[in-house]
Amino acid sequence: MMDIESPTKPDGVNTPEPAPEPMALTPLATVAAAAALLAACGGGDGGGEGPYQEPPAVAGVIDFPTNGFANPAPASDADAARFLQQAQFSSTREEIAELRGNGSYAQWLANQFANYRSITGWNWLEARGYGAVDTNSYFFNHYPADFMIWNQLLSGSDMMRKRVALALSEFFVTSLNSAEFTWRAHAYASWWDTLMRNAFGNYRQLLEDVTLHPAMGYFLNTKGNQKENTSTGRVPDENYSREVMQLFTLGVYQLNLDGSVRTSGGVPLESYTQDDVTNLARVFTGYDFDRSDNIRHTVPGQTYTIESKEFARKPMSLTASRHSNLAATFLGTTVPANTAGREALRIALDTLFNHPNVGPFFARQMIQRLVTSNPSPAYVARVAARFNNNGSGVRGDLKAVWVAILLDDEARGAQSLQSTTFGKLREPMVRFVQWSRTFGGTSLAGSWKIFEQVNPANQVGQSPLRPPSVFNFFRPGYVPPGTALSAAGATAPEFQLVNETSVGGYLNFMQSLIERGINCPNPGVPEAAYNNYAYDFVASYSRELTLVTDATALVNHLALVLTAGQLSANARQLMVTALEATPVTSTSTDLVRRRRVWAAILMVMASAEYLIQK
């Protein structure tokens, strides 16, 4: 299918914008920010049918077993901020007060599990007019999905659900980068809605919804996959059967409950074989986009028609004549010959779901996304045990998994703050989202025209729903070579994004972002319209400006809301000294006052104690 979206966007989209005028940072402030950053980085739904209805308010405390996990209230604002930065994206003063007002972490979690108020990604596209069949050819373009996902992440309610959905998008990986089919933006809005809908549900249902989703079907070749044909030599495509085991359920090696690899004679035991891949592939044959409504739309000014967008949010349909009727034996299970396709799929997904690897494999990666890159084996085992049994005999209860991750003593205990091996590098896109939500980021025109941000030299260096491959932006087992981490065999997945270009690019991007926001093309219209650029996406800094005449109070406030109070006394004093080099009083101009706020935020967000989240 033709792609009307230009591969090289004109007028500066995905290319460096003209260098902004530098902020009025003193040399000390600039050097401090850069030095801190370099020190940290080593120097070198299917839904959309209608709006979700808000459930009634939750009565009482969390309505499922916590199974012995800690259930205290945060003892301080810093404790509350730390929890919030793991469970969602930001920890504003208001969010801290809300958490502490709930009386316990568990009650706050119960409220998050009950509420779902956000507009779906699909409905957002529709409200913005991207479902129209007109001369803008939205049905051939990717960019509406970028606008949609940034709107979802940078604003709105249901922040924990969105944080978890983003983590799930890095486990069940598809990529908008390679989506070359009609209504691709709607398909990825539906994909996001699927992750949101299942975020607090059951892993088994999520696995099925992922498997049958059109975005995944296209990405890993289940779409159009057909049974064997001996006369032509055709065999079922093995892409999804391999990746659903390797990346979405089992991993490569057999695991103990604590995530350690099982061995025999010192040799790791593989979790599946090529025969398993070949046999399982037969189950995933016969599926394709569900275009059964047979609706076609006339495109204005064109001789071709476009199908209805409804297939983009429907599970793929099964054509029995294209489904393999051969027996399929994999992972100790056999799907008998001539088993109907839907039943074969049920058997296969049940087999994958019940494999003993799934709990520890999934648990470790979700801990990595939310809390720490190197969880102890005991931490992994505790979370995996809750995956296996939520306390009421239910396997795969994701609410129980998030409770186990977030209320574990390693996540909440003060001892972790003192550890030199605990914590994780904040992902670039998570830093961007945190900045927006902390400082009142908004699209003035309501258009949210933020394109992909994957260029590490002058953008975020990472963009949601756009990983470069099925292996995500980084591998969960990545160990930075030639570092103290490699000597210790410690994993640091996000460091796979770190290099000289991304380190400098982050500083440059944040300096421009903090001061000016993002330059968007013609914010007044929904189409890309690469003209009439304006800084439409900006932050307000309303609370920060009330503290601006007191450099110490400003830095302490930023230390709380950005680092959960983990900015050291020495770093705070260095920043205060740098800020006070340019006096700010109640009679200072608005520009002078804002420059102090901008400089303070840049220094904190460039510091090692911010970049490494504990």
Side-chain angles (χ1 to χ4, degrees), residues 1-18:
M1 186 64 68
M2 63 180 292
D3 186 1
I4 291 178
E5 182 176 16
S6 171
T8 304
K9 299 180 178 66
D11 297 330
V13 179
N14 279 342
T15 59
E17 296 177 13

Side-chain angles (χ1 to χ4, degrees), residues 309-510:
K309 59 180 172 285
E310 290 305 308
F311 78 89
R313 61 174 172 178
K314 293 180 181 178
M316 290 187 294
S317 61
L318 176 69
T319 300
S321 62
R322 296 183 175 183
H323 179 74
S324 175
N325 288 319
L326 295 180
T329 299
F330 52 91
L331 303 176
T333 296
T334 296
V335 177
N338 300 312
T339 300
R342 293 293 183 184
E343 176 62 11
L345 181 67
R346 183 196 66 76
I347 295 170
L349 296 184
D350 282 350
T351 299
L352 293 170
F353 172 61
N354 287 296
H355 192 283
N357 264 30
V358 179
F361 185 70
F362 180 72
R364 188 173 194 277
Q365 291 194 50
M366 292 301 100
I367 295 170
Q368 286 183 313
R369 297 285 62 74
L370 300 179
V371 177
T372 183
S373 293
N374 286 279
S376 71
Y379 188 4
V380 174
R382 289 191 292 269
V383 177
R386 295 303 171 265
F387 179 96
N388 293 344
N389 183 343
N390 70 350
S392 299
V394 177
R395 179 178 176 84
D397 179 358
L398 294 180
K399 293 191 297 294
V401 170
W402 310 133
V403 169
I405 290 174
L406 293 169
L407 299 189
D408 192 89
D409 190 53
E410 287 194 36
R412 301 274 60 80
Q415 71 280 1
S416 299
L417 293 174
Q418 310 307 317
S419 171
T420 58
T421 59
F422 185 85
K424 61 189 286 290
L425 178 68
R426 296 180 200 261
E427 295 178 59
M429 63 183 176
V430 172
R431 301 174 215 164
F432 178 35
V433 175
Q434 183 187 17
W435 170 85
S436 175
R437 287 184 171 273
T438 301
F439 303 116
T442 191
S443 169
L444 299 177
S447 59
W448 298 93
K449 296 177 79 169
I450 305 173
F451 290 85
E452 60 180 288
Q453 295 288 312
V454 297
N455 190 330
N458 53 37
Q459 297 176 319
V460 178
Q462 190 184 22
S463 220
L465 306 185
R466 284 187 175 271
S469 77
V470 73
F471 299 108
N472 192 27
F473 302 100
F474 38 73
R475 301 297 294 267
Y478 178 75
V479 178
T483 65
L485 290 169
S486 64
T491 57
E494 293 84 355
F495 271 89
Q496 196 167 356
L497 296 175
V498 176
N499 53 49
E500 289 82 355
T501 298
S502 67
V503 168
Y506 170 67
L507 265 180
N508 293 332
F509 173 80
M510 289 307 302

Side-chain angles (χ1 to χ4, degrees), residues 23-33 574-575 577-583 595 599 603:
M23 292 189 293
L25 290 175
T26 65
L28 176 59
T30 305
V31 170
L574 178 65
M575 294 175 189
T577 300
L579 294 173
E580 290 180 338
T582 302
R595 280 177 169 167
M603 286 191 289

Side-chain angles (χ1 to χ4, degrees), residues 210-384:
V210 161
T211 299
L212 295 178
H213 197 279
M216 181 62 78
Y218 183 89
F219 185 62
L220 289 181
N221 307 119
T222 309
K223 175 200 175 311
N225 193 14
Q226 296 188 47
K227 67 181 180 182
E228 62 289 331
N229 185 322
T230 55
S231 62
T232 65
R234 183 183 67 211
V235 295
D237 188 283
E238 298 179 352
N239 204 3
Y240 189 72
S241 65
R242 177 177 292 103
E243 305 305 1
V244 75
M245 290 191 288
Q246 180 182 351
L247 301 176
F248 303 162
T249 53
L250 314 184
V252 176
Y253 298 115
Q254 295 180 34
L255 302 176
N256 297 307
L257 185 67
D258 64 3
S260 59
V261 175
R262 297 180 61 195
T263 62
S264 176
V267 178
L269 296 171
E270 294 182 350
S271 59
Y272 62 89
T273 67
Q274 180 56 44
D275 283 344
D276 292 320
V277 173
T278 299
N279 278 261
L280 182 58
R282 297 168 187 164
V283 173
F284 301 120
T285 54
Y287 290 94
D288 212 324
F289 292 165
D290 183 354
R291 295 181 170 118
S292 58
D293 60 12
N294 294 319
I295 296 174
R296 305 289 301 184
H297 299 285
T298 300
V299 181
Q302 302 294 333
T303 58
Y304 58 85
T305 61
I306 290 295
E307 71 270 52
S308 161
K309 59 180 172 285
E310 290 305 308
F311 78 89
R313 61 174 172 178
K314 293 180 181 178
M316 290 187 294
S317 61
L318 176 69
T319 300
S321 62
R322 296 183 175 183
H323 179 74
S324 175
N325 288 319
L326 295 180
T329 299
F330 52 91
L331 303 176
T333 296
T334 296
V335 177
N338 300 312
T339 300
R342 293 293 183 184
E343 176 62 11
L345 181 67
R346 183 196 66 76
I347 295 170
L349 296 184
D350 282 350
T351 299
L352 293 170
F353 172 61
N354 287 296
H355 192 283
N357 264 30
V358 179
F361 185 70
F362 180 72
R364 188 173 194 277
Q365 291 194 50
M366 292 301 100
I367 295 170
Q368 286 183 313
R369 297 285 62 74
L370 300 179
V371 177
T372 183
S373 293
N374 286 279
S376 71
Y379 188 4
V380 174
R382 289 191 292 269
V383 177

